[in-house]
């Protein structure tokens, strides 16, 4: 029990300059606005599986695929990265108690805005109905590729802002360990930086010249491969900001403590190393990729499963400490003692619980043979609505319940409404995913406009109906969330926001000697990550014969 009380406490109290807070706040607002805009299309897609067509009620919307593109781009690309651009630099500056470089921060903001405007133009004008998985042969307008490339550049600028402040801090604190909150924030975006290079090459070097008519034909398999090189790691770029909260904030919010500083660092280093060399598991069914390469990526996918498993143990232990400190007894009595009435905590606990199911379905996807059954069925959206759609989205909603009050200085408008939103969302996603998963096992294809499909199968009816019901509940929950955030910004009681970021305590201080010092050598880990990527992708890319066979298709 004494171990549960001896904790390393963050000194706290650093206040960011007001103009930095403003830039970070606006990036978060863009993210949460994208979440809200995207779920309107999400509702339409979910209802279409229940054979209810509301797509016609969207003014200016020309096809199901235009709506599906808008949903994917807004919810998994704009929401997640706008949030991270605001959240990760904020956490870094706060942990290092130093201001960010204001010019880089505002440059990141400006690039994000311009990228968004171009992307929205392309999607809204139906010039880019290529879905969020943008590769050949479907072709989009140049504004789509340049717009998304600029969003990526904005994330690089956010990373630069973090690296600059980290370098300054290291110069002034030679030999000191990087505070954990800063370490995990920087490691998250370092991984994403490496992962995002191929998609930038594909969008700017291959697809933009193609859409501008500078080249006639492109190689679809090459653009798919470059997309999935980035495209699997992207899911961890979405996940890691949520993990930053689960490791470095939630333990404090529940009155617990992180069990081990090094354990957390090792987990993030494993993500840096293993998130990227796994992309072929999205291409198990693609011809033209040697089976040996697919198997290697399959094995590494089981490798990247491990740090999430480790996270489950570590986060659970931190929660248990909190629950026991609050008087929880017995094997599971501590769970009831967690602060379920705190909407920020409740949202994130529910997100974790749903992620257990999301992770389990990921294992099925990753298995080379089982993947053949579920690939391109609704099983896959069932999986990813429990991962990015809940583990990430619900966590980021939970974070908003303290972060928006912290940045605006206004009290959360309604705890009850916020709590209701999280519970409705969780119930909704469980019904939704149950529908998608079971219908997927019956072979219902994903990405079909079932409301008007000329082929159908009665065995999909139950799954389709559950998808529609669950999706409607998720929509209602996000509307409630939007209301709470909007009312907090405009009508929350002034001067009542939290004074500080809830930085976790750790049971033991980071070691100042021995092998653990190596953990902080982020440059070294980046080099190891590059070496692993070279092993996993090098043989394929170096021997691949590029065959530009595909002209442009604008199908919808
Ligand atoms: Fe995935 C497809 C494999 C995780 C997202 N995935 C997708 C797609 C998306 C996506 C968007 O191998 C579709 C892309 C498309 O449009 O085609 N995925 C995995 C595996 C994992 C995994 C092995 N995926 C994610 C995450 C995502 C995400 C995370 C978003 C953020 N996925 C695949 C594969 C495919 C795929 C194949 C291709 C399928 C195909 O054929 O098309 C693993 O990383 C999962 C590990 C997770 C765990 C769970 C740990 C649980 C934790 C919670 C602990 C709970 C606590 C609760 C502490 C091991 C950490 C305590 C609370 C109390 C109250 C006590």
């Amino acid at each position: 029990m004494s171990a549960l009380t001896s904790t390393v406490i963050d000194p706290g109290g650093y206040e960011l300059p007001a103009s930095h807070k403003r830039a970070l706040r606006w990036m978060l607002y863009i993210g949460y606005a994208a979440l809200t805009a995207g779920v309107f299309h999400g509702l339409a897609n979910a209802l279409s599986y229940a054979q209810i067509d509301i797509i016609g009620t969207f003014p200016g919307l020309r096809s199901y695929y235009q709506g599906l593109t808008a949903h994917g781009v807004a919810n998994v690309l704009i929401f997640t990265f706008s949030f991270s651009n605001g959240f990760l630099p904020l956490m870094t500056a706060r942990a290092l108690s130093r201001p960010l470089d204001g010019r880089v921060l505002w440059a990141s903001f400006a690039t994000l805005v311009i990228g968004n405007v171009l992307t929205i133009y392309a999607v809204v004008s139906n010039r880019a109905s290529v879905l969020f998985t943008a590769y050949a042969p479907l072709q989009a307008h140049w504004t789509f590729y340049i717009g998304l490339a600029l969003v990526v550049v904005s994330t690089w600028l956010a990373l630069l802002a973090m690296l600059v402040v980290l370098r300054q801090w290291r110069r002034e604190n030679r030999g000191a360990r990087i505070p954990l909150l800063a370490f995990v924030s920087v490691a998250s975006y370092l991984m994403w930086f490496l992962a995002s290079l191929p998609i930038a090459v594909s969008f700017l070097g291959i697809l933009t010249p193609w859409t501008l008519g500078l080249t006639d034909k492109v190689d679809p398999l090459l653009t798919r491969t470059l997309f999935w090189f980035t495209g699997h790691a992207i899911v961890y770029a979405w996940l890691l900001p949520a993990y930053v909260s689960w490791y470095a904030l939630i333990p404090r919010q529940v009155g617990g403590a992180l069990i081990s500083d090094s354990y957390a660092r090792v987990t993030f280093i494993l993500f840096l190393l293993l998130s990227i060399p796994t992309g072929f598991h999205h291409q198990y069914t693609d011809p033209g990729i040697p089976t040996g390469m697919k198997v290697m990526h399959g094995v590494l996918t089981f490798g990247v499963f491990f740090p999430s498993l480790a996270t489950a143990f570590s986060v659970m232990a931190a929660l248990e400490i909190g629950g026991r400190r609050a008087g929880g007894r017995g094997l599971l009595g501590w769970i009831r003692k967690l602060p379920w009435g705190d909407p920020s905590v409740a949202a994130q606990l529910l997100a974790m619980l749903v992620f257990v199911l999301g992770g389990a379905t990921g294992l099925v996807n990753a298995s080379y043979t089982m993947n053949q059954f579920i690939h391109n069925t609704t099983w896959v959206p069932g999986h990813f609505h429990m991962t990015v759609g809940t583990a990430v989205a619900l966590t980021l909603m939970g974070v908003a319940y303290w972060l928006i009050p912290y940045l605006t200085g206004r009290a959360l408008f309604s705890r009850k409404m916020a709590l209701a939103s999280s519970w409705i969302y969780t119930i909704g996603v469980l019904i939704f995913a149950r529908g998608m998963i079971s219908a997927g096992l019956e072979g219902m294809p994903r990405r079909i406009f079932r409301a008007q499909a000329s082929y159908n199968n009665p065995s999909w009816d139950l799954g389709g109906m559950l998808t529609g019901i669950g999706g409607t509940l998720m929509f209602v929950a996000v509307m409630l969330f939007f209301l709470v955030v909007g009312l907090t910004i405009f009508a929350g009681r002034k001067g009542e926001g939290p004074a500080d970021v809830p930085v976790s305590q750790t049971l033991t201080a980071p070691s100042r000697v021995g092998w653990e010092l190596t953990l902080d050598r982020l440059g070294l880990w980046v080099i190891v990550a590059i070496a692993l990527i070279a092993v996993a992708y090098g043989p394929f890319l170096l021997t691949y014969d590029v065959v530009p066979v595909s002209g442009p298709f604008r199908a919808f």
Side-chain angles (χ1 to χ4, degrees):
M1 192 62 195
S2 65
L4 300 190
T5 48
S6 65
T7 47
V8 182
I9 297 171
D10 168 82
Y14 174 71
E15 179 78 19
L16 264 82
S19 82
H20 294 189
K21 271 190 165 181
R22 206 174 317 124
L24 297 164
R25 199 170 72 214
W26 274 98
M27 291 207 248
L28 294 165
Y29 290 169
I30 292 175
Y32 289 124
L35 169 71
T36 311
V39 297
F40 281 90
H41 294 295
L43 174 68
N45 299 340
L47 287 177
S48 95
Y49 280 105
Q51 295 183 300
I52 299 167
D53 179 6
I54 62 160
I55 299 233
T57 60
F58 286 75
L61 196 72
R62 266 157 276 176
S63 77
Y64 166 79
Y65 292 98
Q66 188 187 0
L68 191 54
T69 307
H71 175 56
V73 168
N75 284 6
V76 299
L77 299 180
I78 307 297
F79 164 46
T80 49
F81 286 114
S82 305
F83 174 88
S84 300
N85 277 4
F87 181 64
L88 297 177
L90 170 65
M91 292 301 107
T92 309
R94 164 60 186 78
L96 301 176
S97 299
R98 285 192 64 98
L100 297 156
D101 184 316
R103 283 164 310 175
V104 182
L105 196 60
W106 280 104
S108 167
F109 176 72
T111 319
L112 179 73
V113 171
I114 299 168
N116 262 308
V117 170
L118 290 177
T119 310
I120 291 168
Y121 164 77
V123 175
V124 168
S125 61
N126 198 32
R127 288 177 167 82
S129 296
V130 297
L131 310 178
F132 92 93
T133 48
Y135 38 67
L138 290 182
Q139 189 189 64
H141 194 249
W142 65 267
T143 45
F144 183 75
Y145 300 124
I146 303 277
L148 285 180
L150 285 174
V151 172
V152 172
V153 172
S154 81
T155 64
W156 296 349
L157 289 166
L159 171 64
L160 181 65
M162 294 192 266
L163 290 177
V164 169
V165 68
L166 179 61
R167 212 175 104 172
Q168 291 165 348
W169 180 89
R170 282 188 124 167
R171 273 208 207 114
E172 288 168 12
N173 297 274
R174 290 198 187 278
R177 299 294 305 274
I178 304 172
L180 183 67
L181 179 58
F183 179 89
V184 293
S185 302
V186 174
S188 302
Y189 251 12
L190 272 179
M191 185 285 286
W192 166 242
F193 173 71
L194 290 182
S196 60
L197 294 171
I199 211 165
V201 169
S202 174
F203 280 7
L204 298 178
I206 302 177
L207 297 174
T208 302
W210 183 50
T211 189
L212 290 174
L214 302 175
T215 48
D216 287 343
K217 295 192 169 165
V218 294
D219 181 335
L221 182 60
L222 181 63
T223 64
R224 275 174 71 81
T225 302
L226 291 175
F227 181 88
W228 286 120
F229 187 129
T230 300
H232 188 68
I234 210 172
V235 311
Y236 298 109
W238 302 331
L239 181 68
L240 290 185
Y243 275 11
V244 167
S245 175
W246 293 3
Y247 272 98
L249 307 174
I250 266 285
R252 175 68 169 266
Q253 289 178 278
V254 301
L258 200 60
I259 46 165
S260 161
D261 176 280
S262 298
Y263 187 112
R265 286 177 209 249
V266 169
T267 305
F268 276 76
I269 290 170
L270 286 175
F271 277 114
L272 175 57
L273 301 185
L274 295 173
S275 295
I276 304 171
T278 50
F280 284 147
H281 72 221
H282 289 267
Q283 296 177 273
Y284 283 156
T285 53
D286 280 21
I289 298 167
T291 308
M293 300 296 307
K294 292 179 183 174
V295 170
M296 185 205 295
H297 283 229
V299 171
L300 287 167
T301 303
F302 283 93
V304 77
F305 190 79
F306 177 74
S308 281
L309 217 50
T311 299
F313 283 103
S314 177
V315 173
M316 188 96 73
L319 297 177
E320 183 175 350
I321 293 170
R324 294 206 183 281
R325 281 179 180 170
R329 298 277 173 270
L331 190 62
L332 298 175
W334 57 271
I335 296 178
R336 279 195 306 117
K337 292 287 178 182
L338 292 171
W340 289 96
D342 175 341
S344 174
V345 172
Q348 297 186 66
L349 294 180
L350 293 170
M352 291 172 199
L353 288 171
V354 174
F355 192 42
V356 175
L357 299 173
T361 49
L363 267 191
V364 172
N365 302 348
S367 311
Y368 194 80
T369 41
M370 282 199 268
N371 182 276
Q372 314 297 312
F373 286 97
I374 53 82
H375 185 64
N376 275 341
T377 71
T378 54
W379 168 287
V380 176
H383 159 71
F384 70 68
H385 281 83
M386 293 190 288
T387 52
V388 62
T390 306
V392 176
L394 193 52
T395 295
L396 306 195
M397 291 194 244
V399 168
Y401 296 141
W402 69 261
L403 184 55
I404 301 287
Y406 167 72
L407 288 171
T408 56
R410 289 174 180 267
L412 188 69
F413 186 79
S414 164
R415 286 166 72 95
K416 278 193 184 144
M417 223 197 279
L419 277 171
S421 162
S422 303
W423 281 100
I424 295 172
Y425 194 92
T426 305
I427 295 166
V429 78
L430 290 174
I431 297 173
F432 174 94
R434 162 67 174 78
M436 286 240 146
I437 293 272
S438 63
L441 290 175
E442 297 286 351
M444 179 155 80
R446 65 184 285 204
R447 294 177 162 174
I448 49 157
F449 186 29
R450 186 162 185 247
Q452 285 181 14
S454 52
Y455 55 96
N456 237 316
N457 185 329
S459 70
W460 303 340
D461 286 349
L462 176 64
M465 194 182 66
L466 292 175
T467 302
I469 294 171
T472 307
L473 289 174
M474 290 161 76
F475 173 79
V476 170
V478 176
M479 289 304 115
L480 276 178
F481 166 77
F482 185 68
L483 214 58
V484 174
V485 168
L487 289 170
T488 301
I489 295 167
F490 294 109
R493 283 189 310 278
K494 284 188 184 161
E496 291 189 23
D500 200 3
V501 173
V503 183
S504 288
Q505 302 169 347
T506 315
L507 288 184
T508 49
S511 169
R512 290 182 180 278
V513 287
W515 66 271
E516 284 165 278
L517 296 185
T518 320
L519 298 178
D520 282 11
R521 297 184 58 193
L522 283 163
L524 171 73
W525 297 117
V526 167
I527 293 169
V528 180
I530 293 171
L532 250 176
I533 295 167
V535 172
Y537 273 104
F540 174 76
L541 291 174
L542 291 175
T543 55
Y544 183 68
D545 274 337
V546 179
V547 190
V549 285
S550 178
F553 285 83
R554 296 204 177 194
F556 314 111

